[in-house]
Amino acid sequence: MARLRCVLVLALLLVTTQLPGDAIAGRGHGHHGPAAHDYRDALAKSILFFEGQRSGKLPPSQRQSWRRDSGLSDGASAKVDLVGGYHDAGDNVKFGFPMAFSMTMLAWSVVEFGGLMKGELQHAREAVRWGADYLLKATAHPDTIYVQVGDATKDHACWERPEDMDTPRTVYKVDAGTPGSDVAAETAAALAASSLVFRKSDPAYASRLLARAKRVFAFADRHRGSYSTGLAADVCPYYCSYSGYQDELLWGAAWLHRATKSPTYLSYIQLNGQVLGADESDNTFGWDNKHAGARILIAKSFLVQRVASLHEYKGHADTFICSMVPGTPTDQTQYTRGGLLFKLSDSNMQYVTSSAFLLLTYAKYLAFAKETVTCGGGAVVTPQRLRAIARRQVDYLLGSNPMGMSYMVGYGPRYPRRIHHRASSLPSVAAHPGRIGCSQGFTALYAGGANPNMLVGAVVGGPDLQDKFPDQRNDHEHSEPATYINAPLVGALAYLAHSYGQL
């Protein structure tokens, strides 16, 4: 339910032009002081979370051992194999749009910071492969992409374990007659990004992923339209494509350019970038809107690869960055009194983690090119400042906040105990072998005790605008975890753990 898009709280409070305390300067932290948190432990747990979200036949190496096989007949109703993949959040539907975005961001985390992950790199690769394998199945038939498994309305009318699912596992697809450029281009991005993860360790698999990414992107571009037009009754209001499909086409092209270095995709970006919104001023990056991420990604080609024809993307990326830095003339940021970036009341932490990742990644590109960002009025923003802002957000998430609470399950002494998650909140199959029915499970939803199964590493939606978190299971806006919250956090934690010598 964390997917439901909320209207922005119009009265959001911009408390100060500077983040509280040492948020900007990083006093007492950073490379010259002690680490505020055990980023290495948090990194390991942020990756482990994905094992708790798995659907399908679980491997012997499964570490969230309270989970069991589920969805083993997924796709059968359409005579296709759609076993596997991930549940997006606390429900049992497999939503292809956010799953693909989660895989793109998890892969980007590994591509950008995997070299720093040491022993966690293999776990991160396994998490990417679990999703990529599913996306290969979902795109096995040319000009067809299977984008959802499960009737979302009927699924949300039940509170049951994935292992007990008896709601319809209806299969939904986009094709030439029912286009979905947004979900298709995002799937292409995920496949292309994943190919980079395996380019050295498994080149044959990487080649297969990249070939599929090219085919899927061509389909997305050739048959244009939003998937939530033709599938509105099935994907809305959960994962409607509110921002349209233009951002995904630019994002998909950016990933294919990065993965192939082909003039084809460079030309596509040059010819279509402005039409697809390259210079739009939106600064919310998440499963719906990819413009900010695309601008950062394409700017790398200019800053690092010195592709001169993409110089304007440095400006596009800088515009986004300036909107995120407090105190600049074009600052659009809003923070809680405790210092948390606040975008939406529903699953706000997804924007915290995605923004922190983009800030750290752009800081990396800028540092390589020995560049800074100029934000008008002579305000110069350095890579160090971007890192300090990002680190403050991650530190808040891990417990440096007014509640003294980590918003990652299993990290630190105090963390959410009653998360909005069916499998975590109901007794495991090992503890309760008998089936728990659709309506029977709701007793657990409204019960007061801690969840019986700890979904280690899960990051919940987070506190409200007043830095308060009630830790109530039926409060999906604040208590539900999601794959797209964790995926960008993996990269941010890898960078921080390395920068403090923890890896």
Coordinates of all heavy atoms in Angstrom, one line a residue, residues 49-90:
F49 N 17.8 -7.9 3.0 CA 16.4 -7.6 2.9 C 15.7 -8.2 1.7 O 14.6 -8.8 1.7 CB 16.1 -6.1 2.9 CG 14.8 -5.7 2.3 CD1 13.6 -5.8 3.0 CD2 14.8 -5.1 1.1 CE1 12.4 -5.4 2.5 CE2 13.6 -4.7 0.5 CZ 12.4 -4.9 1.2
F50 N 16.4 -8.2 0.6 CA 15.9 -8.6 -0.7 C 15.5 -10.1 -0.7 O 14.6 -10.6 -1.4 CB 16.8 -8.3 -1.9 CG 16.8 -6.9 -2.2 CD1 17.7 -6.0 -1.6 CD2 15.9 -6.4 -3.2 CE1 17.7 -4.6 -1.9 CE2 15.9 -5.0 -3.5 CZ 16.8 -4.1 -2.9
E51 N 16.2 -10.9 0.2 CA 15.9 -12.3 0.3 C 14.5 -12.5 0.9 O 13.9 -13.5 0.6 CB 17.0 -13.0 1.0 CG 18.3 -13.0 0.3 CD 19.4 -13.9 0.9 OE1 19.0 -14.9 1.6 OE2 20.6 -13.7 0.6
G52 N 14.1 -11.6 1.7 CA 12.8 -11.7 2.4 C 11.7 -11.3 1.4 O 10.5 -11.6 1.7
Q53 N 12.0 -10.7 0.3 CA 11.0 -10.3 -0.7 C 10.9 -11.2 -1.9 O 10.1 -11.0 -2.8 CB 11.4 -8.9 -1.2 CG 11.4 -7.8 -0.2 CD 10.0 -7.6 0.4 OE1 9.8 -7.9 1.6 NE2 9.0 -7.1 -0.3
R54 N 11.7 -12.3 -1.8 CA 11.7 -13.2 -3.0 C 10.4 -14.0 -3.1 O 9.8 -14.4 -2.2 CB 12.9 -14.3 -2.8 CG 14.3 -13.7 -3.1 CD 15.3 -14.8 -2.7 NE 16.6 -14.4 -3.2 CZ 17.7 -15.0 -2.8 NH1 17.7 -16.0 -1.9 NH2 18.9 -14.6 -3.3
S55 N 10.1 -14.2 -4.4 CA 9.0 -15.1 -4.8 C 9.6 -16.2 -5.6 O 10.6 -16.0 -6.2 CB 7.9 -14.3 -5.6 OG 6.9 -15.1 -6.0
G56 N 8.9 -17.4 -5.5 CA 9.4 -18.5 -6.3 C 10.0 -19.6 -5.5 O 9.8 -19.7 -4.3
K57 N 10.8 -20.4 -6.2 CA 11.5 -21.5 -5.5 C 12.8 -21.0 -4.9 O 13.7 -20.6 -5.6 CB 11.9 -22.6 -6.6 CG 12.6 -23.8 -6.1 CD 11.6 -24.7 -5.3 CE 12.3 -26.0 -4.8 NZ 11.5 -26.8 -3.9
L58 N 12.9 -21.0 -3.6 CA 14.0 -20.5 -2.9 C 15.2 -21.4 -2.9 O 15.1 -22.6 -2.8 CB 13.6 -20.2 -1.4 CG 12.4 -19.2 -1.2 CD1 12.2 -18.9 0.2 CD2 12.6 -17.9 -2.0
P59 N 16.4 -20.8 -3.0 CA 17.6 -21.6 -3.1 C 18.1 -22.1 -1.8 O 17.7 -21.5 -0.7 CB 18.6 -20.6 -3.7 CG 18.2 -19.3 -3.2 CD 16.7 -19.4 -3.1
P60 N 19.0 -23.1 -1.7 CA 19.5 -23.6 -0.4 C 20.2 -22.5 0.3 O 20.3 -22.6 1.6 CB 20.4 -24.7 -0.9 CG 20.0 -25.1 -2.2 CD 19.4 -23.9 -2.9
S61 N 20.7 -21.5 -0.4 CA 21.5 -20.4 0.3 C 20.6 -19.3 0.9 O 21.1 -18.4 1.5 CB 22.4 -19.7 -0.8 OG 21.6 -19.2 -1.8
Q62 N 19.3 -19.5 0.8 CA 18.4 -18.5 1.4 C 18.7 -18.3 2.9 O 18.7 -19.2 3.7 CB 16.9 -19.1 1.3 CG 15.8 -18.2 1.9 CD 15.5 -17.0 1.2 OE1 15.8 -16.8 0.0 NE2 14.8 -16.1 1.8
R63 N 18.9 -17.0 3.2 CA 19.3 -16.6 4.6 C 18.1 -16.1 5.4 O 18.2 -16.2 6.6 CB 20.4 -15.5 4.5 CG 21.7 -16.1 3.9 CD 22.8 -15.0 3.8 NE 22.4 -13.9 2.9 CZ 22.9 -12.7 2.9 NH1 23.8 -12.4 3.7 NH2 22.5 -11.8 1.9
Q64 N 17.1 -15.5 4.8 CA 15.9 -15.2 5.6 C 15.1 -16.5 5.6 O 14.1 -16.7 4.9 CB 15.1 -14.1 4.9 CG 15.9 -12.7 4.7 CD 15.6 -11.7 5.8 OE1 15.2 -12.1 6.9 NE2 15.8 -10.5 5.5
S65 N 15.5 -17.3 6.6 CA 15.1 -18.7 6.5 C 13.6 -19.0 6.9 O 13.1 -20.1 6.7 CB 16.0 -19.6 7.4 OG 16.0 -19.0 8.7
W66 N 13.0 -18.0 7.4 CA 11.6 -18.1 7.8 C 10.7 -18.1 6.6 O 9.5 -18.4 6.6 CB 11.1 -17.1 8.8 CG 11.5 -15.7 8.5 CD1 12.7 -15.0 8.9 CD2 10.8 -14.7 7.8 NE1 12.7 -13.8 8.4 CE2 11.6 -13.5 7.7 CE3 9.6 -14.7 7.1 CZ2 11.2 -12.4 7.0 CZ3 9.1 -13.6 6.5 CH2 9.9 -12.4 6.4
R67 N 11.2 -17.6 5.4 CA 10.4 -17.6 4.2 C 10.5 -19.0 3.6 O 11.5 -19.8 3.8 CB 11.0 -16.6 3.2 CG 10.6 -15.2 3.5 CD 9.1 -14.9 3.3 NE 8.5 -15.6 2.2 CZ 8.6 -15.3 0.9 NH1 9.3 -14.1 0.6 NH2 8.0 -16.0 0.0
R68 N 9.5 -19.4 2.8 CA 9.4 -20.6 2.0 C 9.0 -20.4 0.6 O 8.7 -19.2 0.2 CB 8.4 -21.6 2.7 CG 8.8 -22.1 4.1 CD 10.0 -23.0 4.0 NE 10.2 -23.6 5.3 CZ 11.0 -23.1 6.3 NH1 11.6 -21.9 6.1 NH2 11.2 -23.8 7.4
D69 N 9.0 -21.4 -0.2 CA 8.6 -21.3 -1.6 C 7.2 -20.7 -1.8 O 6.3 -20.9 -0.9 CB 8.6 -22.6 -2.3 CG 10.0 -23.3 -2.3 OD1 11.0 -22.6 -2.0 OD2 10.1 -24.5 -2.6
S70 N 7.0 -19.9 -2.8 CA 5.7 -19.3 -3.0 C 5.5 -19.0 -4.5 O 6.5 -18.8 -5.3 CB 5.5 -18.0 -2.2 OG 6.5 -17.0 -2.6
G71 N 4.3 -18.9 -5.0 CA 4.0 -18.4 -6.4 C 4.6 -19.4 -7.4 O 5.1 -18.9 -8.5
L72 N 4.6 -20.7 -7.1 CA 5.3 -21.6 -8.0 C 4.5 -21.9 -9.3 O 5.0 -22.5 -10.2 CB 5.5 -22.9 -7.3 CG 6.5 -22.8 -6.1 CD1 6.7 -24.2 -5.4 CD2 7.8 -22.2 -6.5
S73 N 3.3 -21.4 -9.4 CA 2.5 -21.5 -10.6 C 2.3 -20.2 -11.3 O 1.5 -20.1 -12.2 CB 1.2 -22.2 -10.4 OG 0.4 -21.5 -9.5
D74 N 3.0 -19.2 -10.9 CA 2.8 -17.9 -11.5 C 3.1 -17.9 -13.0 O 4.1 -18.4 -13.4 CB 3.8 -16.9 -10.8 CG 3.3 -16.3 -9.5 OD1 2.2 -16.8 -9.1 OD2 4.0 -15.5 -8.9
G75 N 2.1 -17.3 -13.7 CA 2.2 -17.3 -15.2 C 1.5 -18.4 -15.8 O 1.2 -18.4 -17.1
A76 N 1.1 -19.5 -15.1 CA 0.5 -20.7 -15.7 C -0.8 -20.3 -16.4 O -1.2 -20.9 -17.4 CB 0.2 -21.7 -14.6
S77 N -1.6 -19.3 -15.8 CA -2.9 -19.0 -16.4 C -2.7 -18.4 -17.8 O -3.6 -18.4 -18.7 CB -3.6 -18.0 -15.6 OG -2.9 -16.8 -15.4
A78 N -1.5 -17.9 -18.1 CA -1.2 -17.3 -19.5 C -0.3 -18.2 -20.2 O 0.2 -17.8 -21.3 CB -0.6 -15.9 -19.3
K79 N 0.0 -19.4 -19.7 CA 0.9 -20.4 -20.3 C 2.3 -19.8 -20.5 O 2.9 -20.1 -21.5 CB 0.3 -20.8 -21.7 CG -1.0 -21.6 -21.5 CD -1.5 -22.1 -22.8 CE -2.7 -23.1 -22.7 NZ -3.8 -22.5 -21.9
V80 N 2.8 -19.1 -19.5 CA 4.1 -18.6 -19.5 C 4.7 -18.9 -18.1 O 4.0 -19.0 -17.1 CB 4.2 -17.1 -19.8 CG1 3.9 -16.8 -21.2 CG2 3.3 -16.3 -18.9
D81 N 6.0 -18.9 -18.0 CA 6.7 -19.1 -16.7 C 7.1 -17.8 -16.2 O 8.0 -17.1 -16.6 CB 8.0 -19.9 -17.0 CG 8.8 -20.1 -15.7 OD1 8.3 -19.7 -14.6 OD2 10.0 -20.6 -15.8
L82 N 6.4 -17.4 -15.1 CA 6.7 -16.1 -14.4 C 6.9 -16.4 -12.9 O 6.6 -15.6 -12.1 CB 5.5 -15.2 -14.6 CG 5.2 -14.7 -16.0 CD1 4.0 -13.8 -16.1 CD2 6.4 -13.9 -16.5
V83 N 7.6 -17.5 -12.7 CA 8.0 -17.9 -11.3 C 9.2 -17.1 -11.0 O 10.1 -17.0 -11.8 CB 8.2 -19.4 -11.2 CG1 8.7 -19.7 -9.8 CG2 6.9 -20.2 -11.5
G84 N 9.3 -16.6 -9.8 CA 10.4 -15.8 -9.3 C 10.2 -14.4 -9.1 O 9.0 -13.9 -9.0
G85 N 11.2 -13.6 -9.1 CA 11.1 -12.1 -8.9 C 10.9 -11.7 -7.5 O 11.1 -12.5 -6.6
Y86 N 10.4 -10.5 -7.3 CA 10.3 -9.9 -6.0 C 8.8 -9.4 -5.8 O 8.2 -8.8 -6.7 CB 11.2 -8.8 -5.8 CG 12.7 -9.1 -5.7 CD1 13.6 -8.9 -6.8 CD2 13.2 -9.7 -4.5 CE1 14.9 -9.2 -6.7 CE2 14.5 -10.0 -4.4 CZ 15.4 -9.8 -5.5 OH 16.7 -10.1 -5.4
H87 N 8.4 -9.5 -4.5 CA 7.2 -8.7 -4.1 C 7.7 -7.3 -3.8 O 8.8 -7.1 -3.3 CB 6.6 -9.3 -2.8 CG 6.2 -10.7 -3.0 ND1 5.2 -11.1 -3.9 CD2 6.6 -11.8 -2.4 CE1 5.0 -12.4 -3.8 NE2 5.9 -12.9 -2.9
D88 N 7.0 -6.3 -4.2 CA 7.4 -4.9 -4.1 C 7.6 -4.4 -2.7 O 8.5 -3.7 -2.4 CB 6.5 -4.0 -4.9 CG 5.1 -3.8 -4.2 OD1 4.5 -4.8 -4.1 OD2 4.8 -2.7 -3.9
A89 N 6.6 -4.8 -1.8 CA 6.6 -4.2 -0.5 C 6.0 -5.3 0.5 O 6.5 -6.3 0.6 CB 5.7 -2.9 -0.6
G90 N 4.9 -4.9 1.1 CA 4.3 -5.8 2.2 C 3.2 -6.7 1.7 O 2.5 -7.3 2.5

